[in-house]
Amino acid sequence: MVKAYDGALILADLLVLLLKVVYYAIEGFYRFFFPVDEKSVAGEIVLVTGAGHGIGKELALKYASLGATVVCWDINDVSNEETVTEIKKMGGAAAHGYKCDVSNRDEVMRVADKVKKEVGTVTILLNNAGIMPCRPFLEYTPQEIQKMFDINVMAHFWMLQAFLPDMLAKNHGHIVALSSMAGVIGLTNLVPYCATKFAVRGMMEAISEELRISSSCGGTNSNIKFTTIYPYMVDTGLCKKPKIKFPSLMAVVPPQEAAAHIVMAQRRNIPEMSIPSHWLGINYLLRNFPDKVPRSVKDFLDSGVAADD
């Protein structure tokens, strides 16, 4: 009798699961054609790391244009202040610049406390800072590999430790992390970089899932959102020697365009997105085939980065 009852419960759970799968599949198909409206970021306090140049600078300018208070972090104080000055010249937008080495946990915590006292609680965090030396794996020095992990990975942990608790206390916030298409597929001349970006991808998926599960186990329903971005090559100077077989198909993306897509993804609460958006779907599709299929496609496209001089 007990076994029959347990079996009935399992069947009921399977039926509920099936209904959920069908519902969410239909919802996803509908949202592909009719996406949700972009939420307002006016009045939010947005912190961007690596705001002195490239994507980070364009993100800071974009959020300022939308009415957010922008906090710019960069290790380069001069270029960071240039971004702050440019925002202030726009008129009506508040901007604050702070010099910070995000790979140094003590410095992150110190500057974070200063931001909280002088500006307020950060509600949107964009972990953008990163470096990308390009060369064959055995030509990297141990110091270069360590530095890449300190900036590209460990900084994400220190930033989360600094700002996530306040978001949880307010039950309001959004964290955006820049991974890379190199965090989805392995590429030559980028072995350590790929490893760092795969790590960011896993960290974001895990922290999002941890909060979701803790919410479903009797806690407060978490209103903290997470978005992971996988850019293809962006014209920021990191890709010193891009190798592109089909420029019209796989052109290097301007930083302004990349920033616009990132802001859109954050405002629509999209969990993950590649830039251009089709690359992530193509990767997931090809992964369902035998290994030789995606490798053949990669060989045909013959794109990536050549080693730095």
Side-chain angles (χ1 to χ4, degrees), residues 77-91:
D77 199 26
V78 175
S79 61
N80 198 46
E81 284 305 317
E82 288 174 354
T83 301
V84 172
T85 300
E86 194 168 337
I87 290 173
K88 289 181 178 178
K89 286 181 179 178
M90 294 165 57

Side-chain angles (χ1 to χ4, degrees), residues 10-22:
I10 292 173
L11 286 174
D13 287 343
L14 285 172
L15 178 60
V16 171
L17 173 61
L18 179 61
L19 291 172
K20 285 182 177 180
V21 169
V22 172

Side-chain angles (χ1 to χ4, degrees), residues 146-163:
Q146 184 66 61
K147 183 177 181 180
M148 216 178 310
F149 272 84
D150 286 342
I151 296 173
N152 293 6
V153 181
M154 300 312 300
H156 287 257
F157 286 96
W158 310 150
M159 297 297 289
L160 283 173
Q161 288 183 342
F163 295 104

Side-chain angles (χ1 to χ4, degrees), residues 109-162:
M109 295 302 171
R110 177 180 60 79
V111 180
D113 285 340
K114 193 174 181 182
V115 169
K116 294 172 189 179
K117 292 175 183 176
E118 296 178 355
V119 185
T121 301
V122 171
T123 53
I124 300 176
L125 171 63
L126 293 108
N127 284 319
N128 162 74
I131 59 173
M132 192 183 78
C134 307
R135 60 179 64 96
F137 172 65
L138 292 179
E139 295 183 13
Y140 287 97
T141 66
Q143 293 78 15
E144 286 175 321
I145 294 173
Q146 184 66 61
K147 183 177 181 180
M148 216 178 310
F149 272 84
D150 286 342
I151 296 173
N152 293 6
V153 181
M154 300 312 300
H156 287 257
F157 286 96
W158 310 150
M159 297 297 289
L160 283 173
Q161 288 183 342

